[in-house]
Amino acid sequence: MVAKLQVQNLSKYFLTRDGEPRKVLDKISLDIEENEFVCIVGASGCGKTTFIRSIGGLIPAEEGDVRIDGKRVEGPGGDRGFVFQHDSLLPWRTVLDNVIFGLEVRGMRPSQSHPLGMSLLKLVGLSSFENHYPSELSGGMRQRVNLARALAIDPDVLLMDEPFAALDAQTREIMQRELLKIWAEKRKTVLFITHQIDEAVYLADRVLVFSSRPGRVAADIRIPFARPRELSLKRTPEFLKIVDDIWSLIEQEVVASMAA
Amino acid sequence: MSQATAEDVSARQAASVIPAALRDAPTPAQLAWVSRRRAFMSVIGGLILWEIVGRYIVTNPILFSPLSKVLEIGWKMTLSGELARHFGVSALEFALGFLLSAVVGIALGFAMATSRRTQDILDPWVSFFYSSPLVALMPFFLLIFGVGLASKVAIVFVIAVFPILLNAFVGIRSADPHLLEVAKAFNCTRQQVFVKILLPAALPFVIVGLRLGIGRALTGVVVGELFASRAGVGYLITAAGQSFDTATVFLGVLIFSIMGVVLMEMLKWLENYLAPWRKNVTEMR
Ligand SMILES: Nc1ncnc2c1ncn2[C@@H]1O[C@H](COP(=O)(O)OP(=O)(O)O)[C@@H](O)[C@H]1O
Ligand SMILES: [Mg+2]
């Protein structure tokens, strides 16, 4: 049986200002199983966003390929839903109209998409906010809408690029717990990027550590904790031990790349 | 200590007592009302000052004219139907010229912003004409289009079109690249990107362009009627000036000013209607 998401020898170059190619991702290969929750951690600038954008089909990779259910992806598609790092809601659309954006683009009529959007708003805990504009919401609420918008097209794979990075610590923890709840209900394959190691360990079945310059998978760590996971898990010694191990891994990577 | 505070808070919430400082603070609606009243008083004060200066301080009728005199002439001309005739001529010149500049300006601005080639070709011309004193073209338009409506529409058009074009262009270009990435991730077609992302992003800029365009178009009407014309509010001003009839000059200027204010208000209304999310933002502050 093939893995849900397969990445084979993916390399990505950017041109520097002098027109020289610079390798940002170096022959990355990995398999992600169906319904698996995989987190990627790594130092800032190591290519995490570039990697997830390649998988989303937003930018082409020069070498290697990405397959979903064994089928090669060429550009964006409805099998992948993107939750962006930045605040990416359309300011001129109400919350509900933001959530159904992807459905509307596909030509679904409001009579069909609105009930779907409302049920997703309920899922993310924003039931009575459908007529608000994004500017009227807090950061946490906006990222809930962002998530609902990605879920609306019912993708097989959720691609999340540091979705909680801009939130304060408490809101972030609550969002992490909510995300796990939603994931348990919707059963999606998730690729989640973060630079917060404890976030990765709390959420993931597997944590991949990226090395810097060029980006490579330096370690692939299985997280053994049973689900459902309470937030209190984060205070247990077992949890802190894993976080600590990953910390030193990243530190080694950064030091090594700086020496190089 | 901290427990007592927590109890305090819950007790207060239970009784839903609003803290005194908050209760006594003016609401946004009250503040808006205060602003409006101040603006109204300021206008009334200005009009009274105008009357006093005209009546007691600068009494020479060639140099100044009190408000009452201006209104009196306005009333007489209204009764004779003369004012309506002049106003109708100017309004038509304005409407045709401005609408033409809005349509052409927005269309070209959007075309330049979405097509590299169009931009490369048009850019030098737009920069050239934007900064040149286009009112000087009026004698030329008279030669080409004659003394009638067409030459006036032409001058209004060329004066108003460039700020509208440039703002439409900048509006499209200012669209947040993050939102364009969202459109890409959801597989939008080019047309969907334009309608769902670029157009709403450009809207506030387009409104600013239209606002500048209105001011310029009114100037265009005056300039157009300065040369070889027989009717219009601009003509009225020019003719009155030549016969030292300052009151009528003031009347003409007042009419243009009121036209400008009314058009700006209409545009504000249009913006609130087309871009309710922005109204929301300002109300939130
Ligand atoms: N469009 C681009 N053009 C050139 N270089 C880029 C581009 N996008 C990213 N990079 C470079 O690629 C590297 C990885 O960036 P990114 O994927 O954003 O890292 P991360 O998300 O891990 O912080 C950085 O050094 C960045 O400067
Ligand atoms: Mg990033």
Side-chain angles (χ1 to χ4, degrees):
Chain A
M1 209 194 112
V2 291
K4 185 79 193 171
L5 176 70
Q6 293 172 293
V7 180
Q8 282 155 357
N9 290 320
L10 190 81
S11 295
K12 172 76 200 163
Y13 301 80
F14 282 121
L15 290 183
T16 63
R17 226 172 288 167
D18 331 312
E20 295 289 314
R22 191 164 70 86
K23 203 172 207 175
V24 178
L25 301 177
D26 184 24
K27 289 214 171 77
I28 296 184
S29 295
L30 58 96
D31 283 358
I32 298 180
E33 299 301 329
E34 179 142 33
N35 298 339
E36 200 174 18
F37 200 126
V38 174
C39 283
I40 296 179
V41 292
S44 174
C46 72
K48 303 184 296 294
T49 295
T50 304
F51 179 66
I52 205 167
R53 287 175 79 217
S54 312
I55 292 180
L58 294 174
I59 49 172
E62 282 73 27
E63 293 163 16
D65 59 15
V66 177
R67 290 167 190 275
I68 290 178
D69 293 325
K71 225 179 114 244
R72 206 189 140 118
V73 307
E74 324 264 1
D79 48 5
R80 283 147 294 155
F82 224 111
V83 181
F84 293 90
Q85 170 177 11
H86 43 260
D87 189 7
S88 66
L89 299 180
L90 308 182
W92 42 83
R93 283 176 171 249
T94 61
V95 164
L96 180 61
D97 285 342
N98 265 291
V99 172
I100 64 160
F101 181 71
L103 301 173
E104 183 185 304
V105 166
R106 295 166 166 203
M108 190 188 278
R109 267 188 254 102
S111 59
Q112 277 177 291
S113 63
H114 280 195
L116 231 154
M118 290 303 290
S119 70
L120 282 164
L121 280 176
K122 183 153 177 253
L123 181 73
V124 299
L126 286 176
S127 279
S128 54
F129 288 89
E130 72 267 22
N131 290 323
H132 284 61
Y133 285 100
S135 60
E136 299 169 303
L137 304 183
S138 68
M141 289 156 104
R142 272 184 251 186
Q143 284 308 63
R144 286 165 193 261
V145 180
N146 213 336
L147 176 62
R149 179 176 66 185
L151 288 171
I153 58 171
D154 198 21
D156 292 349
V157 181
L158 258 187
L159 303 173
M160 308 182 75
D161 185 9
E162 303 201 33
F164 306 149
L167 306 180
D168 62 79
Q170 287 96 327
T171 310
R172 187 161 50 218
E173 296 231 321
I174 291 166
M175 292 294 290
Q176 290 163 4
R177 196 185 54 199
E178 295 276 295
L179 176 62
L180 284 189
K181 227 178 71 197
I182 290 165
W183 173 70
E185 191 169 323
K186 290 271 166 186
R187 300 316 291 182
K188 302 272 176 209
T189 306
V190 181
L191 186 59
F192 185 108
I193 286 178
T194 176
H195 60 255
Q196 296 243 318
I197 298 165
D198 70 318
E199 179 168 85
V201 176
Y202 173 67
L203 294 173
D205 296 317
R206 262 163 77 203
V207 174
L208 306 179
V209 179
F210 263 38
S211 67
S212 307
R213 280 166 246 266
R216 231 182 258 140
V217 181
D220 185 340
I221 298 149
R222 200 154 280 283
I223 308 297
F225 304 117
R227 299 186 189 267
R229 296 175 184 169
E230 296 301 323
L231 279 171
S232 55
L233 173 69
K234 291 190 178 186
R235 259 69 73 182
T236 62
E238 296 84 357
F239 186 93
L240 294 171
K241 166 93 176 43
I242 296 182
V243 171
D244 223 45
D245 290 349
I246 296 178
W247 241 122
S248 33
L249 255 169
I250 294 182
E251 201 179 349
Q252 282 166 23
E253 284 299 331
V254 171
V255 170
S257 81
M258 273 158 70
Chain B
M1 179 63 204
S2 68
Q3 227 176 358
T5 332
E7 270 168 19
D8 266 11
V9 171
S10 60
R12 227 185 295 158
Q13 277 168 350
S16 83
V17 175
I18 302 165
L22 203 59
R23 193 180 50 220
D24 297 337
T27 65
Q30 281 169 332
L31 285 176
W33 171 240
V34 168
S35 296
R36 244 173 289 150
R37 205 172 52 196
R38 277 200 200 116
F40 181 73
M41 295 311 282
S42 169
V43 171
I44 296 292
L47 294 179
I48 291 173
L49 191 66
W50 178 358
E51 183 65 24
I52 291 172
V53 170
R55 205 178 280 212
Y56 304 110
I57 301 175
V58 189
T59 47
N60 185 338
I62 294 177
L63 295 182
F64 203 76
S65 177
L67 174 63
S68 55
K69 186 81 193 304
V70 173
L71 292 179
E72 190 191 318
I73 289 180
W75 181 239
K76 273 189 195 146
M77 287 177 76
T78 306
L79 290 182
S80 69
E82 211 182 337
L83 197 62
R85 187 169 61 88
H86 287 303
F87 182 78
V89 168
S90 294
L92 183 66
E93 291 163 1
F94 172 85
L96 291 179
F98 178 69
L99 283 180
L100 196 62
S101 63
V103 170
V104 172
I106 291 172
L108 282 184
F110 283 180
M112 277 175 72
T114 47
S115 151
R116 189 65 195 234
R117 189 189 305 173
T118 314
Q119 190 201 348
D120 290 344
I121 293 171
L122 291 184
D123 208 32
W125 298 102
V126 171
S127 318
F128 178 77
F129 282 119
Y130 184 62
S131 46
S132 56
L134 291 164
V135 287
L137 283 174
M138 192 55 202
F140 167 70
F141 286 149
L142 282 173
L143 289 175
I144 303 257
F145 297 114
V147 294
L149 180 65
S151 59
K152 276 78 172 176
V153 172
I155 192 76
V156 170
F157 168 76
V158 294
I159 292 184
V161 73
F162 289 103
I164 298 175
L165 186 157
L166 276 174
N167 276 284
F169 172 79
V170 172
I172 295 282
R173 281 301 167 87
S174 73
D176 187 346
H178 290 151
L179 300 185
L180 293 172
E181 184 149 279
V182 170
K184 195 170 178 191
F186 282 100
N187 252 332
C188 286
T189 62
R190 267 178 70 96
Q191 194 196 338
Q192 285 172 329
V193 172
F194 186 76
V195 173
K196 294 178 198 294
I197 312 282
L198 296 178
L199 214 51
L203 186 66
F205 290 83
V206 171
I207 300 277
V208 169
L210 292 177
R211 188 169 298 148
L212 293 171
I214 286 174
R216 286 212 177 195
L218 287 173
T219 309
V221 171
V222 177
V223 170
E225 291 173 355
L226 213 62
F227 298 86
S229 62
R230 267 164 269 112
V233 180
Y235 162 79
L236 189 70
I237 294 172
T238 315
Q242 277 158 4
S243 55
F244 306 107
D245 177 3
T246 302
T248 308
V249 172
F250 280 11
L251 176 68
V253 175
L254 190 64
I255 290 172
F256 275 126
S257 307
I258 291 173
M259 255 177 96
V261 170
V262 169
L263 288 164
M264 294 298 172
E265 281 303 311
M266 281 166 66
L267 205 59
K268 220 185 272 175
W269 178 87
L270 184 74
E271 183 176 18
N272 283 343
Y273 175 76
L274 290 176
W277 70 92
R278 284 172 57 83
K279 183 162 155 268
N280 256 292
V281 174
T282 42
E283 272 175 7
M284 288 272 292
R285 289 203 195 107

